[in-house]
Amino acid sequence: MIRDALIYLSGNTLARRVATHAPGARAMARRFVAGETVDDGIAAARALNKRGLKVSLDYLGESVSRREEAVAAADTYIRLIERIAAEKLDTNVSMKLTQMGQDIDHAFLRENVKRILDTAHSREIFVRFDMESSKYTQRTLDFFRELWAEGYRNIGVVLQSYLRRSEQDTLDMNGMGARVRLCKGAYQERDDVAFPGKPEVDGNFIRLMRLLVGSGNYPGIATHDEAMIRATLAFVRETKTDPSRFEFQMLYGVRRDLQHELHSQGYNLRVYVPYGEAWYPYLMRRMAERPANLFFIVNAVLAESPLAFLVRRNDKA
Ligand code: FDA
């Protein structure tokens, strides 16, 4: 119920306007978003790299309907990639195709994305296409295949275990040798498209994880769910898979304790670091995943205010 309401609000323009202008809103977002500028994103990546964690930087933005905005977003990605390369960071980038013009026109999307991919290729940087709602799944995978057929290999996709179609997509991507990030999925979907309950979503996550870790190309297992992580570690031990063959991925500000624990056990761990001014829908999806984050964030803001004596800090989330 709360999840549905928060996901609905993530796409609501009025709620977005009110929330982003509310006093203290930026401070609240800071728990899950590295800041608003390229410098902020790079600084967060540098700090995480220093602790041995890999990074994927995401310049926030989605559902763009104006060409100028999509071109500006691509320009920002190009600057970002150049900074990553100049600083030799262990960092790749993630992007949403609706930020690049997927809702505008296919030729325009191609042109915009290829500018980024060409720069990324020349700097040997990998680009991940995030997966948005199921309205975009087929188009995103088709576009990915189109680029793959043109010879781009510095690209990867995301598959969501809540989608009924994902098992076939996983087999197809494994067949191509494409790099996949597996996650559960963060959007509101109909029951005929997505599994409605957590047990089925989790069961499918484990099934797809086994396909990917077993025969995929350096998959990213993206979850904070300890049961999914335990299942992955058990499969890795059972199949004697070398830890260098895959990575775990987690979101910036979420389960930092677990991020460090897995890294200290010798597993590759990549942190997804979003930055930029368009943080509202991203933040609302994080709230929907764990409504307790609402209280966590209010707590964090109070803790840094004169009312700090009212709250105790909790760094586990
Ligand atoms: P689940 O939601 O079952 O949560 C398990 C436990 O993890 C919770 O009990 C809590 O302890 C902790 N937890 C989970 N989310 C939390 C949060 N926001 N704050 C605090 N604790 C939390 N989705 C998508 O549709 N397209 C995409 O491209 C991506 N990309 C992506 C990249 C990376 C690196 C990650 C980690 C996730 C995504 N996602 C995504 C989001 C993903 O689909 C999913 O919504 C969240 O990861 C939450 O699912 P979990 O697997 O963590 O499990």
Side-chain angles (χ1 to χ4, degrees):
M1 197 67 160
I2 295 182
R3 177 178 186 270
D4 292 350
L6 289 166
I7 292 184
Y8 168 76
L9 286 175
S10 74
N12 185 281
T13 318
L14 180 63
R16 177 187 190 138
R17 209 171 306 139
V18 171
T20 49
H21 289 94
R26 281 195 164 70
M28 294 203 279
R30 249 344 241 262
R31 179 66 173 79
F32 297 102
V33 173
E36 296 199 344
T37 64
V38 170
D39 282 344
D40 292 333
I42 292 287
R46 203 187 293 128
L48 288 160
N49 280 178
K50 270 203 182 114
R51 284 187 269 146
L53 305 179
K54 300 171 185 301
V55 168
S56 190
L57 272 170
D58 167 44
Y59 171 56
L60 289 163
E62 57 196 83
S63 311
V64 166
S65 55
R66 289 170 41 240
R67 282 170 194 257
E68 314 82 80
E69 211 182 316
V71 168
D75 291 343
T76 301
Y77 265 105
I78 289 170
R79 277 205 308 281
L80 179 62
I81 287 165
E82 277 163 358
R83 284 287 301 275
I84 293 171
E87 297 208 20
K88 299 189 170 51
L89 296 175
D90 186 357
T91 296
N92 63 35
V93 296
S94 292
M95 70 174 59
K96 292 193 171 42
L97 293 181
T98 65
Q99 182 185 23
M100 296 297 142
Q102 197 172 29
D103 285 329
I104 300 173
D105 165 64
H106 187 70
F108 173 74
L109 170 72
R110 265 179 67 83
E111 193 187 317
N112 225 17
V113 169
K114 284 178 69 162
R115 278 197 304 131
I116 300 172
L117 297 186
D118 291 336
T119 306
H121 175 71
S122 67
R123 305 284 190 270
E124 294 182 8
I125 287 176
F126 178 81
V127 178
R128 174 84 61 185
F129 300 146
D130 286 343
M131 190 58 87
E132 300 177 67
S133 76
S134 63
K135 185 177 151 195
Y136 298 101
T137 310
Q138 191 60 48
R139 276 195 270 166
T140 297
L141 295 178
D142 287 348
F143 182 47
F144 179 79
R145 282 197 184 84
E146 188 180 318
L147 294 167
W148 191 266
E150 289 171 35
Y152 288 97
R153 291 293 179 273
N154 60 326
I155 51 176
V157 283
V158 176
L159 297 176
Q160 299 149 318
S161 73
Y162 66 8
L163 291 189
R164 296 178 188 275
R165 59 173 288 163
S166 289
E167 184 163 349
Q168 188 56 50
D169 290 333
T170 302
L171 294 170
D172 293 348
M173 289 297 140
N174 276 359
M176 288 163 63
R179 271 172 67 175
V180 173
R181 170 198 299 153
L182 175 65
C183 66
K184 291 191 188 179
Y187 297 83
Q188 200 160 17
E189 300 290 355
R190 293 193 326 260
D191 291 0
D192 59 327
V193 173
F195 299 112
K198 181 170 164 64
E200 290 161 296
V201 175
D202 288 359
N204 202 35
F205 190 98
I206 293 174
R207 207 163 23 251
L208 304 186
M209 172 278 289
R210 294 168 80 96
L211 289 172
L212 289 165
V213 175
S215 39
N217 176 13
Y218 192 69
I221 305 302
T223 182
H224 318 92
D225 187 336
E226 293 187 27
M228 300 302 106
I229 291 169
R230 275 197 305 275
T232 308
L233 296 178
F235 181 69
V236 164
R237 275 192 293 272
E238 182 193 315
T239 53
K240 299 192 171 45
T241 302
D242 194 282
S244 66
R245 302 268 319 274
F246 73 101
E247 64 185 26
F248 285 111
Q249 299 184 352
M250 294 192 203
L251 301 175
Y252 181 76
V254 178
R255 294 301 310 261
R256 291 181 289 204
D257 55 337
L258 204 49
Q259 296 179 11
H260 292 293
E261 193 182 315
L262 285 168
H263 170 251
S264 66
Q265 288 172 14
Y267 293 100
N268 291 319
L269 192 298
R270 188 177 304 274
V271 183
Y272 181 103
V273 179
Y275 79 92
E277 289 177 5
W279 45 263
Y280 172 76
Y282 177 86
L283 190 65
M284 293 304 276
R285 286 196 294 275
R286 303 299 71 89
M287 301 293 160
E289 282 153 9
R290 186 170 179 265
N293 280 341
L294 278 169
F295 304 105
F296 178 84
I297 281 185
V298 170
N299 246 20
V301 172
L302 281 178
E304 278 151 31
S305 78
L307 299 174
F309 65 90
L310 289 175
V311 296
R312 284 199 13 239
R313 293 199 68 120
N314 168 8
D315 195 36
K316 208 169 176 221

